[in-house]
Every structure is written in C-alpha cells, then in structure tokens.
Amino acid sequence: MPYKNLLIENENGITTVIINRPKAMNALNELTLIELQDAFIHLTEDKATQVIIITGSGEKAFIAGADIAAMQSLTALEARQFAKLGHQVMRYIEACPKPVIAAVNGFALGGGCELALGCDIRIAADNARFGQPEVNLGIIPGFGGTQRLARLIGKGRALELILTGNMVDAAESYRIGLANKIVPQEQLLETAKQMATTIISKGSYAVRLAKEAVRNGLEIDLERANQYESELFGLCFATADQKEGMEAFLEKRQADFKGA
Ligand code: CAA
C-alpha cells in the first residue's frame, strides 16, 4: 500500500521507515499509526528486510508525540480506541521477529518516546530530547509509556519523567539507560546502519531467538524464563547456522551464515 505519512527505503537487508509529517513534527495521527501497522505486517514477512530502522523526517523531531490537534475533541471512548490502536502498533514493533532500531533525530516526546521504547535499541542524535509531557496536557501516556519506561529505566526515574513532564537531553537519556548511545546528528543513520549490518552478519535464527528470549522472558518469572531460554538454546542446534558457526570457530575462519 502506498503511504501518505511514511517513507520506506531498503538497501542491503536494512529497511528504514521514516515518519514523514514534518509540519507537525512527525506527530502520530490515526492514519500514521494505521500505516505503521501495515508496514510492520509487511516487513515481518518481507525477505529483503533483516533489520528495521525507524526515524523521523527532518532534523528537529523523531516524533513529537501523538497528534494533539487530532486528539483534542475525542470522546472518552474514542480516546480509549486511539490508545488501543497505539498499543497495537507498539506491539507489532516490539514483537517483530526482526530487530528494530530507533534512530532518534530530535524530539521523542509522548507517543514518540513510547514508540522508541517499543524498539529494541535506541540510538540518539546529540540533539535528541526524550520526555513524557502528557501531564502538561491533562492526560497520561497512552501508548505504553507508563509500563515500558518503568521497565527500561526503573520505576523512580520513569515516574520522575512522567510526573514532571520534563524532557531529558541526549546525555541524560544515555546516563539513565534510555538511549543505547549518542552520536552527532550527521552520523545518526550511518551509525544505525552499521549496527544493523553487524546484526545482519550473524546467524538470523540466533538473532531472532535471542530477541524472543529477552522479550518474552521478561514477562515471566526467572525460573520459567530460564527454562524457556534452555528450549530456545536447544532449538539453535537444529539450525545449519549453529553447525557453521561452531565449525568456523574451530577452523579459525569467518562464519558464513545462511539463515537456515
Ligand atoms: N501534535 C500535533 N502537532 C504538533 C505536535 C503534536 N504532538 N508537536 C508539535 N506539533 C506542531 C505544532 O503545533 C506546530 O504546528 P504549527 O506550525 O502549525 O503551529 C509545529 O508542530 C511546530 O511545533 P512548535 O512551533 O511548537 O515547535 P517548537 O520548536 O517551538 O517546539 C516541541 C517543539 C517542544 C516539540 C513542541 O512542539 C511541543 O511541545 N510539542 C508537543 C509535545 C507533546 O506534548 N507531546 C505529547 C503528545 S500527547 C501523547 O503523545 C499522548 C500519548 O502518549 C498517546
């Protein structure tokens, strides 16, 4: 489907999804969320896509939140529906079997911070600003921020951001574990692509199972999570990539993974 608010580029196994509403600082309205959902359904199956990068168009904003103008007159039931749509999209991103990297090129606020939280890895440009400023609008985060932020950076820090509505800059986002690394704005996409290329060079089954183990394991108790890890670890030994990876190590050569 052709998209109105997304640009999609693909090269060398890396698909870059660009949220493209620069006049509204790439704010997420209903159509953008529906397009993102459709894109992720497609990219999950797309053979040319091994890693996905999400970024915003322009140099000022990753995503400045859910679209405030579109939300202003929603009824309670419509707002609940809108939040459910947002949750569904974040889930498609989070549950995608392929790694998803957020390249945060400016403001990542409200729904934008929440979308970054749904990604596996966050790389921040030096002008990135993260925040959950919903209390300034008389609302709370609605696309998973109250849950994923606390799980990622801890309850105390998450509550500080959510209750004050304050933004943190790139350095602080790195310090509190919200961003994985900070790079100069002009190197942002290149850095994200280099990381994607490193991931692509590994056995794709192992990458997929590792993501599954971390994501699903965090939702259950440690004992069952470790048991789950053992099952997935065992499954790796049914792949040609495991044979190749170990053989290559013992033969002191580079592994040639086939994703099989
Ligand atoms: N929704 C709709 N439009 C937005 C927007 C948003 N979230 N954020 C920015 N815009 C629009 C502005 O209205 C403005 O449009 P006009 O040019 O037509 O007036 C344009 O983008 C540029 O914005 P500013 O003039 O405000 O730019 P700035 O550089 O002075 O400030 C900013 C940038 C700090 C990001 C500021 O725009 C801002 O505070 N935006 C709102 C951030 C916010 O509150 N996000 C949370 C939204 S609620 C949410 O996301 C709920 C949820 O969890 C689901």
Side-chain angles (χ1 to χ4, degrees):
M1 123 179 191
Y3 298 123
K4 186 163 175 273
N5 297 332
L6 301 183
L7 300 171
I8 312 256
E9 295 169 359
N10 174 277
E11 61 173 341
N12 304 324
I14 305 167
T15 294
T16 306
V17 176
I18 305 161
I19 316 291
N20 188 32
R21 296 188 71 214
K23 286 193 183 134
M25 295 226 166
N26 305 320
L28 299 171
N29 59 2
E30 189 183 6
L31 178 63
T32 312
L33 289 168
I34 289 169
E35 289 187 347
L36 267 169
Q37 176 170 297
D38 185 82
F40 268 80
I41 291 171
H42 168 72
L43 294 175
T44 296
E45 301 303 327
D46 179 34
K47 298 237 179 317
T49 299
Q50 288 172 271
V51 174
I52 299 160
I53 296 171
I54 304 182
T55 194
S57 72
E59 295 185 347
K60 271 190 90 172
F62 173 66
I63 299 166
D67 190 317
I68 299 168
M71 281 187 298
Q72 185 191 12
S73 55
L74 295 182
T75 64
L77 285 179
E78 286 166 345
R80 185 175 74 158
Q81 209 46 43
F82 185 59
K84 282 191 168 182
L85 174 63
H87 274 285
Q88 207 169 288
V89 174
M90 303 316 151
R91 195 165 165 70
Y92 270 108
I93 294 173
E94 191 171 59
C96 179
K98 301 168 185 181
V100 184
I101 301 171
V104 181
N105 56 322
F107 292 108
L109 302 176
C113 185
E114 291 167 303
L115 190 142
L117 290 168
C119 297
D120 300 315
I121 293 164
R122 284 149 294 280
I123 305 179
D126 48 11
N127 69 332
R129 299 281 179 281
F130 292 83
Q132 296 289 162
E134 285 87 348
V135 287
N136 296 331
L137 302 166
I139 61 171
I140 70 168
F143 293 169
T146 60
Q147 304 308 309
R148 289 196 183 90
L149 190 60
R151 281 166 171 76
L152 185 68
I153 66 172
K155 182 178 154 195
R157 288 197 166 115
L159 277 169
E160 183 182 339
L161 282 180
I162 292 168
L163 300 183
T164 63
N166 287 345
M167 291 184 217
V168 291
D169 64 12
E172 180 67 357
S173 74
Y174 176 69
R175 195 185 70 80
I176 63 178
L178 184 42
N180 292 63
K181 60 165 71 185
I182 313 169
V183 294
Q185 160 100 298
E186 59 280 9
Q187 290 168 22
L188 178 65
L189 273 184
E190 202 40 50
T191 306
K193 286 181 183 173
Q194 273 168 16
M195 192 183 279
T197 303
T198 300
I199 296 171
I200 289 171
S201 73
K202 315 298 174 191
S204 61
Y205 268 108
V207 165
R208 179 182 178 150
L209 294 178
K211 174 169 172 175
E212 259 182 68
V214 172
R215 192 176 78 81
N216 295 330
L218 279 173
E219 303 306 319
I220 52 183
D221 65 83
L222 184 60
E223 196 168 334
R224 276 185 298 168
N226 279 334
Q227 203 175 332
Y228 175 58
E229 186 195 70
S230 313
E231 302 300 335
L232 297 185
F233 180 78
L235 202 52
C236 294
F237 287 73
T239 66
D241 283 351
Q242 173 268 329
K243 314 251 170 318
E244 168 62 10
M246 294 195 175
E247 213 170 273
F249 175 82
L250 294 172
E251 290 171 2
K252 301 191 189 307
R253 61 173 173 82
Q254 197 71 25
D256 178 19
F257 292 118
K258 301 281 189 232

